[in-house]
Amino acid sequence: MESDNIIRMDMGGTQNHNNNSDKATLCLGIESSCDETSAAIVDSDKNILAHIIYSQIPEHQKYGGVVPELAARAHILAVDEVIKLTLERANKTIDDIDVIAATAGPGLIGGVLIGWMAATGIANATNKPLVAVNHLEGHALVPRLSAASASDSKTNIDVEFPYLLMLASGGHCQILLVHNVGKYELIGQTLDDSAGEAFDKIAKMLNLGYPGGPIVDNRAKLGDAKRFHFPRPLCDKPGCDFSFSGIKTAARMMLDKTSESDINEQFINDFCASFQAAVVDCITNRLHNALKDERVKVAQPKTMVVAGGVAKNSAIRAAMENLAKQSNMLFAAPPMSLCTDNGAMIAWAGLENYKIGKVVKEPIAPRPRWSLTEL
Ligand code: KG4
Ligand code: ZN
């Protein structure tokens, strides 16, 4: 792996909020569960000292999705250098680090194993505490490292427990009550595809490339959301579960009925805008129901939060902020750079778990499946 290649993916560090103490705890976090090899050094005062993300997207693009074997091979080639560069960029040596954290699942097991073994090796060799981070908990807790509202991205919001979380990524779509670190209550979830998967599949049908979310999002900004009618599955039903496969089937049927010569730029933009509007409606409808759920009423979360790769979507952010306002709640989303998979969220979740003593005491096996409610 050429280091030049990695440096181009570098997001740099951010001196974020506080400089509370000389004794801030430093955590090295490693993420490798899908198609990003990433490491970051984050401190307990919410500063990101360095953050390197090596994205494998170009390697998977020609296959229209992530190929697990290729991903695992790319993680092996990248992981050592990503960690080394992160330490260099933070101007730290491994001796300066207090805690090592890595994703131990859920995800593509080949990739998870590589990051996890690297972290275990470092922790064992240096005799430092090791935290096994649930990848979803990384997404769920990162808004506590850094978050803002949709309309004002500059003012940081301190996200306090409990909060109502819309977790939408390539692999998951769930509404959760986040009571505390390790304490998640599932309010609703998808019965079939995740929201990210729906974006990716629509983009694939239109030959727009991978990953589809950001492409469809950009196209939607140029399109007419009223031109095509997509279904809003389950929206006429009570409850907080999602279903996106019907939207996908409707898209397939509409495209099959359209002659290729009619699929011009405007068609694609309008199609993306109409599809995205359906997803936004599903998310707000389900969240609306979640706010009426007895468990949510009892917990009285002050903040509505979105996280995961799909949280990058500006229409979803705006709609959720609106709903939060109507419900007298705050709205918070991580900065764009901390929505898709990244090492900083793993380092932060590592710190939050370390603080409550959740460190690895004996060897553990990484898990391809690992629900937040099992923590
Ligand atoms: O959280 P993430 O990086 O990986 C998983 O843990 O799955 O999420 C990746 C997903 C992909 O499906 C991608 O298409 C979607 O997030 N995504 C978006 C946007 N940016 C990324 N979806 C909608 N709008 C976006 N702007
Ligand atoms: Zn993720």
Side-chain angles (χ1 to χ4, degrees):
M1 188 60 47
E2 294 295 316
S3 54
D4 280 357
N5 206 4
I6 296 172
I7 287 168
R8 266 188 273 121
M9 307 299 168
D10 184 15
M11 292 163 42
T14 50
Q15 297 296 315
N16 245 356
H17 311 284
N18 310 312
N19 199 1
N20 287 341
S21 65
D22 296 335
K23 282 196 269 151
T25 309
L26 282 189
C27 181
L28 167 69
I30 301 165
E31 157 60 27
S32 61
S33 68
C34 192
D35 55 352
E36 272 95 15
T37 321
S38 179
I41 296 170
V42 175
D43 74 19
S44 50
D45 288 338
K46 303 190 176 180
N47 297 301
I48 301 174
L49 278 66
H51 195 184
I52 305 278
I53 300 179
Y54 170 67
S55 169
Q56 304 174 3
I57 286 172
E59 279 151 89
H60 300 289
Q61 228 147 20
K62 59 177 172 289
Y63 303 102
V66 180
V67 183
E69 281 302 314
L70 290 183
R73 209 178 313 160
H75 284 302
I76 286 188
L77 293 175
V79 72
D80 286 352
E81 193 135 8
V82 165
I83 294 169
K84 206 174 99 203
L85 279 169
T86 305
L87 285 163
E88 271 172 31
R89 195 53 68 92
N91 211 8
K92 300 285 176 199
T93 69
I94 198 68
D95 290 340
D96 300 316
I97 304 296
D98 301 300
V99 190
I100 316 292
T103 300
L108 301 173
I109 197 64
V112 173
L113 271 166
I114 288 152
W116 179 249
M117 293 318 291
T120 307
I122 295 170
N124 286 347
T126 57
N127 211 12
K128 291 183 191 291
L130 174 66
V131 181
V133 175
N134 177 301
H135 177 85
L136 299 172
E137 186 163 49
H139 282 302
L141 294 180
V142 78
R144 286 167 51 77
L145 168 64
S146 178
S149 73
S151 48
D152 171 12
S153 61
K154 297 238 155 53
T155 310
N156 194 69
I157 294 175
D158 279 324
V159 177
E160 284 166 19
F161 299 121
Y163 51 95
L164 186 67
L165 173 69
M166 176 74 234
L167 175 49
S169 68
H172 293 84
C173 184
Q174 303 179 329
I175 299 176
L176 296 143
L177 254 179
V178 183
H179 290 286
N180 216 319
V181 180
K183 291 209 170 62
Y184 299 87
E185 196 168 2
L186 187 64
I187 305 297
Q189 64 181 327
T190 185
L191 306 177
D192 39 58
D193 294 347
S194 72
E197 228 173 321
F199 274 96
D200 294 338
K201 284 178 179 168
I202 294 293
K204 199 167 187 176
M205 285 179 205
L206 294 166
N207 289 321
L208 296 178
Y210 177 85
I215 306 169
V216 171
D217 188 359
N218 285 333
R219 290 288 194 150
K221 286 182 186 131
L222 309 169
D224 172 9
K226 295 205 169 68
R227 173 157 168 202
F228 300 101
H229 180 73
F230 283 87
R232 271 77 171 152
L234 299 179
C235 286
D236 53 345
K237 302 241 167 17
C240 307
D241 287 336
F242 297 87
S243 168
F244 292 109
S245 71
I247 304 186
K248 183 186 68 190
T249 308
R252 183 73 274 155
M253 282 163 63
M254 277 188 243
L255 289 175
D256 285 348
K257 274 195 248 152
T258 311
S259 82
E260 252 180 55
S261 59
D262 289 336
I263 305 184
N264 55 24
E265 292 299 303
Q266 196 56 52
F267 178 100
I268 292 173
N269 296 344
D270 295 344
F271 201 81
C272 289
S274 304
F275 157 78
Q276 185 172 281
V279 175
V280 169
D281 283 353
C282 292
I283 289 178
T284 47
N285 174 283
R286 305 285 88 188
L287 281 168
H288 195 265
N289 285 359
L291 292 170
K292 290 186 281 185
D293 186 288
E294 219 29 64
R295 294 163 295 179
V296 178
K297 279 192 185 162
V298 169
Q300 294 188 312
K302 284 197 194 68
T303 315
M304 188 184 287
V305 177
V306 66
V310 181
K312 274 190 165 173
N313 189 283
S314 43
I316 293 173
R317 282 178 179 241
M320 280 186 64
E321 179 164 62
N322 234 350
L323 178 62
K325 263 191 197 141
Q326 284 166 23
S327 321
N328 291 322
M329 292 173 83
L330 291 169
F331 170 73
M336 297 294 182
S337 57
L338 298 182
C339 289
T340 32
D341 293 348
N342 65 86
M345 71 182 197
I346 303 304
W348 178 252
L351 281 167
E352 295 244 50
N353 276 283
Y354 175 69
K355 210 159 67 184
I356 58 166
K358 269 196 172 180
V359 294
V360 171
K361 299 206 171 81
E362 33 193 80
I364 62 143
R367 303 169 63 168
R369 290 178 178 274
W370 186 11
S371 150
L372 277 175
T373 50
E374 292 170 65
L375 291 181

